[in-house]
């Protein structure tokens, strides 16, 4: 379960009036070709009564331009509008705001956006998972476990939830619980490379150096050479070798 990308089609389905549907689709198409021009167009359209549709198209343009803080701020503004749909639609918009804040590097504002979305849609497993991930990034593993446990009750088939909770368990020292979550994540089809990276970290924490090395070598062999997963595996293996060499030197 990943943070949802911007979904113009879903926004169109839920919130755009029939009168605005055509202009909205045209604006979205313009974003793909020329985001700067699309943003200017969306501003003019908004001044002419384009409402939430114009604001959302402008947000898409800002996202294409990688101006994530501006996009996140406008998403929060959009979610507060009466013409932005019902509670579930506005919760989705706030989930997008949180994702934009994370891309901007502002974990606290991401958590605030996700929290506002959860207030609107408390049974939304994707939002709980997203906030749990943000708590992990912010070093608040206990809060992450609370959110991820709620998410697992709502969406027990989602492997990513267990994988994230395993990471949180490792960070809090709950290694047996983390190992159980890794097994649950594997059964639920979590991404295998990310799973093996985390399983290796848990194994290393539990003193199983051979198991950790096996997992990281697997990732190194199966990931794209320039991928984040391969880079992480190389770093973990290098650190393990340094640690073992230091131990051997100290013993001598």
């Amino acid at each position: 379960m990943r943070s949802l990308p911007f979904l113009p089609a879903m926004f169109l389905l839920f919130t755009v009036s029939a009168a605005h549907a055509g202009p909205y689709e045209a604006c979205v198409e313009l974003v793909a070709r020329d985001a700067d021009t699309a943003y200017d167009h969306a501003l003019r359209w908004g001044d002419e009564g384009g409402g939430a549709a114009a604001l959302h198209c402008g947000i898409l343009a800002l996202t294409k331009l990688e101006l994530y803080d501006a996009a996140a701020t406008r998403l929060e503004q959009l979610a507060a509008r009466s013409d932005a749909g019902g509670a579930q639609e506005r919760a989705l918009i706030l989930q997008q705001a949180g994702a934009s804040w994370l891309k901007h590097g502002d974990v606290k504002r991401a958590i605030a956006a996700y929290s506002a979305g959860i207030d609107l849609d408390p049974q939304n497993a994707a939002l709980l998972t997203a906030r749990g991930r943000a708590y992990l990034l912010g070093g608040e593993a206990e809060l992450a476990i609370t959110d991820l446990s709620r998410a697992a009750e709502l969406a027990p088939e989602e492997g990513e939830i267990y994988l994230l909770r395993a990471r949180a368990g490792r960070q809090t020292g709950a290694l047996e619980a983390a190992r159980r979550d890794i097994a649950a994540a594997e059964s639920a089809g979590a991404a295998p490379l990310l799973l093996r990276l985390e399983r290796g970290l848990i194994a290393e924490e539990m003193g199983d150096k051979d198991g950790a090395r096996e997992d990281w070598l697997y990732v190194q062999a199966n990931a794209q050479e320039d991928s984040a997963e391969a880079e992480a595996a190389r770093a973990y293996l290098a650190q393990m070798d340094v640690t073992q060499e230091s131990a051997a030197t100290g013993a001598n």
Side-chain angles (χ1 to χ4, degrees):
M1 180 184 299
R2 305 180 192 283
S3 294
L4 290 179
F6 292 93
L7 299 176
M10 184 175 289
F11 183 82
L12 180 67
L13 175 65
F14 286 140
T15 69
V16 177
S17 67
H20 287 159
Y24 179 75
E25 289 180 323
C27 189
V28 170
E29 290 174 3
L30 182 57
V31 169
R33 300 195 307 271
D34 185 344
D36 280 309
T37 300
Y39 182 69
D40 292 339
H41 169 75
L43 288 178
R44 290 193 301 272
W45 183 26
D47 290 340
E48 295 166 359
L55 179 55
H56 192 259
C57 185
I59 290 164
L60 294 173
L62 289 169
T63 304
K64 183 74 178 295
L65 294 167
E66 299 185 359
L67 299 172
Y68 298 118
D69 55 338
T73 299
R74 284 163 178 78
L75 280 161
E76 290 172 342
Q77 294 169 354
L78 176 61
R81 293 178 62 109
S82 61
D83 58 351
Q88 290 184 336
E89 290 73 53
R90 289 185 290 127
L92 172 62
I93 293 167
L94 286 164
Q95 184 179 345
Q96 295 176 347
S100 288
W101 282 124
L102 283 184
K103 288 182 178 179
H104 182 61
D106 194 329
V107 174
K108 288 184 177 180
R109 294 198 69 168
I111 290 170
Y114 292 138
S115 296
I118 291 166
D119 288 342
L120 289 170
D121 190 4
Q123 303 302 307
N124 189 317
L127 268 166
L128 287 163
T129 302
R131 191 173 68 175
R133 186 188 302 106
Y135 276 137
L136 273 173
L137 289 171
E140 298 182 90
E142 292 285 0
L143 290 174
I145 289 172
T146 299
D147 273 356
L148 295 167
S149 295
R150 287 174 61 194
E153 292 174 359
L154 294 165
E157 74 285 354
E158 292 288 348
E160 183 190 9
I161 297 173
Y162 302 106
L163 181 54
L164 289 169
R165 195 169 65 178
R167 186 177 305 160
R170 172 176 56 80
Q171 291 181 6
T172 60
L175 298 178
E176 286 295 343
R179 190 162 65 175
R180 289 194 297 272
D181 273 333
I182 283 291
E186 187 170 19
S187 296
L193 297 181
L194 294 175
L195 188 146
R196 297 290 285 263
L197 282 173
E198 183 59 43
R199 191 171 74 178
L201 289 169
I202 295 167
E204 185 180 43
E205 287 283 333
M206 299 183 80
D208 182 5
K209 305 296 185 183
D210 290 340
R213 182 180 294 277
E214 180 181 347
D215 276 331
W216 297 336
L217 286 172
Y218 174 90
V219 174
Q220 190 176 43
N222 289 277
Q224 294 290 331
E225 187 174 353
D226 59 350
S227 68
E229 292 85 356
E231 183 177 345
R234 286 193 294 269
Y236 295 155
L237 288 164
Q239 182 59 43
M240 176 182 283
D241 290 340
V242 168
T243 302
Q244 290 178 341
E245 288 175 9
S246 297
T249 301
N252 292 332

